[in-house]
Amino acid sequence: MGDTGSRPDSFSSRVSDAGRFLVLHEAAEEVLDELTERYVVDRRESKEPVGPAPGADVVRTVLLMPRSPAAGPLSIAFTDFPGIVLRLGRWFFEALPDCGCDDCAEDPAALVEDLRSRVSAHVEGGLWECVRRGVTGSWLETRLIGPGLRTTRQAPIDPAEARAARQEGFAAAVQWAPWIRRAP
């Protein structure tokens, strides 16, 4: 694909130095290790994608599942771009970088800070999710709130996924609990 790295040809802008985003892999590894050491979680690795990673293949995925059922899971998929896809709870997804092209000029250091702030907000119980029904269909809503962070997202949801969420008890609003710390 020439100078566009592993991004699809449909991206109109060049990616002259995709390697600058390798710091995201390093930061994600550090975050996962810190969380595994600090909180009561089970850690699993796979190659399953955790959400949309446009134009990139998943190299591996790490899932941290808190042992408290009231606390939401966290997954990080490492992509070959290089980048990551962060999944918090059931429906909060974030691809870092979002694009990675030269025109977007995403700052790797700022993306690392975004990763850390989102993870921190989630671990402290700042993620709220629900599925809503409307006349034209269902949609999901997520809110992530932490120090200096307030993100709200809404997106349509496939009818089958909305039904599954209702059957599994995830359609009602869920405020994920803070993770439990390991004893010192």
Side-chain angles (χ1 to χ4, degrees), residues 65-122:
M65 182 65 76
R67 291 193 188 151
S68 167
L74 175 150
S75 297
I76 297 179
F78 295 80
T79 66
D80 65 350
F81 175 64
I84 62 169
V85 178
L86 174 66
R87 179 179 182 172
L88 306 174
R90 188 171 175 128
W91 292 297
F92 185 95
F93 296 98
E94 181 127 23
L96 300 171
D98 182 44
C99 173
C101 77
D102 295 349
D103 289 343
C104 290
E106 292 172 279
D107 177 20
L111 295 174
V112 168
E113 287 305 312
D114 288 348
L115 167 67
R116 289 189 173 278
S117 67
R118 282 156 177 67
V119 167
S120 177
H122 175 57

Side-chain angles (χ1 to χ4, degrees), residues 122-169:
H122 175 57
V123 166
E124 295 301 321
L127 180 63
W128 176 91
E129 301 179 297
C130 78
V131 173
R132 299 193 185 277
R133 256 190 226 187
V135 176
T136 60
S138 296
W139 70 95
L140 61 90
E141 184 176 351
T142 62
R143 291 185 197 143
L144 183 61
I145 300 169
L149 174 69
R150 183 176 197 90
T151 302
T152 300
R153 298 180 181 164
Q154 294 181 352
I157 188 170
D158 177 82
E161 190 174 356
R163 270 191 305 282
R166 284 190 285 280
Q167 290 170 350
E168 296 168 13

